[in-house]
Amino acid sequence: MNRPFSPVQIYKSFLTIIPYAGITFGVVLGTIVLGMALAILLFAQKQSKKRWVRAIADGYINVIRCTPSIVLLFIVYYGIPKLALGLFGLDLNFSSKIIYVIISLSLLYSATLAEIIRSAYLALGRSQYEAALSIGLTPLQAVWRVMLPQGIVIALPNLGNSLISLFKEGSLAFTIGLIDMIGAGNLIISRNYGAYSLETYIALAVIYWALTLIIEQIFLRLEKHYSKGRRSLNAA
């Protein structure tokens, strides 16, 4: 039996789905932390003087970037428990699904972040790093005080775009049974025996549109703020 379109159901679905935003943001936050750590490691490998070390980093980035995110998610979800059981005798089949989502998205996100960091580093040039060393800074201080603040400004637009992409990629978590916002929407549809599907997905779309616009505006404001500082320095 076909039901008439119900705008009220959009509002009801919205109220049911929005409490699960915390799980979605938890996935994003965990992915940012782990993905950034992996990206820094990859960037360091790509700057290595050893050719085989650079080849490993390049191979990893190429393989990960060519792998669909949903395929990577299933490989991690089914592969890690099998490896843990086969190598260490550990049964991870009952571990939290959010861990597998964060690991798989971190692998994907780190490849993109490593290229963003590398492009920002190349845009700055090694001369600034060498100049910082020449005035007595240690290599770590040169990176932390000179390269990093300028590199963040250059990387901000790409970081914003990658974060928005990550936020949307996180919606795949429901495919392995994690109840995030998409999972909550599917539960609503199931409880109504397939009814109100359109209204539920419209509610999800509105939530994702709103959160994406917020992220976009935050990065635009950050970019404008730091760009003013750069323009002031250039004017001086």
Side-chain angles (χ1 to χ4, degrees), residues 25-43:
F25 279 111
V27 169
V28 171
L29 181 60
T31 302
I32 290 172
V33 173
L34 182 57
M36 181 63 75
L38 292 173
I40 292 172
L41 178 61
L42 285 171
F43 171 72

Side-chain angles (χ1 to χ4, degrees), residues 174-226:
F174 86 97
T175 59
I176 62 169
L178 181 66
I179 307 301
D180 60 348
M181 291 194 295
I182 296 293
N186 284 323
L187 285 177
I188 293 172
I189 296 170
S190 298
R191 288 167 184 167
N192 289 295
Y193 301 101
Y196 303 122
S197 298
L198 178 59
E199 292 88 342
T200 302
Y201 285 123
I202 288 175
L204 280 167
V206 170
I207 293 171
Y208 273 94
W209 288 339
L211 294 176
T212 299
L213 286 174
I214 291 171
I215 294 171
E216 187 178 53
Q217 288 302 311
I218 289 172
F219 274 87
L220 283 174
R221 289 179 182 274
L222 286 172
E223 188 178 351
K224 288 180 180 178
H225 174 74
Y226 287 109

